[in-house]
Amino acid sequence: MRELLCVALRAYLWAIFLRIILSWFPLRHGGAMQIVRDVLWKVTEPVLGVARKYLPPLGHFDLSPIVVILGLQLVGAFVLKCGVV
């Protein structure tokens, strides 16, 4: 069970990283990458949105992915004992 949670945690971290990377590029509306970005948005926004509510606004900088990544890595390392997440 712990291994399954560790795999799910790693997959969620990858989804956040991919969302960050895709946010740097303009995507054509209706294209394949737009669909991928939309799926990543739907998967990651519930957690990132909650973190964003508690972080102070810093202009155009969104620090919620950094906070969530750090928090998930702490959970993986200390609670689930996943090792390197």
Side-chain angles (χ1 to χ4, degrees):
M1 182 64 167
R2 184 177 59 83
E3 291 85 14
L4 182 62
L5 290 173
C6 290
V7 169
L9 181 67
R10 284 187 195 103
Y12 199 77
L13 287 170
W14 274 106
I16 293 172
F17 280 124
L18 289 173
R19 176 182 167 160
I20 292 168
I21 291 169
L22 285 178
S23 72
W24 297 342
F25 300 101
L27 300 177
R28 188 171 43 97
H29 184 68
M33 293 308 289
Q34 175 73 35
I35 295 169
V36 170
R37 187 179 72 177
D38 290 346
V39 169
L40 290 172
W41 182 275
K42 288 178 184 176
V43 168
T44 59
E45 185 57 27
V47 175
L48 294 176
V50 169
R52 201 175 295 117
K53 284 195 302 188
Y54 294 104
L55 293 172
L58 295 173
H60 293 287
F61 295 106
D62 183 12
L63 297 179
S64 62
I66 296 170
V67 171
V68 169
I69 287 170
L70 289 174
L72 290 175
Q73 286 190 341
L74 288 172
V75 167
F78 295 113
V79 176
L80 297 176
K81 307 269 192 256
C82 291
V84 178
V85 178

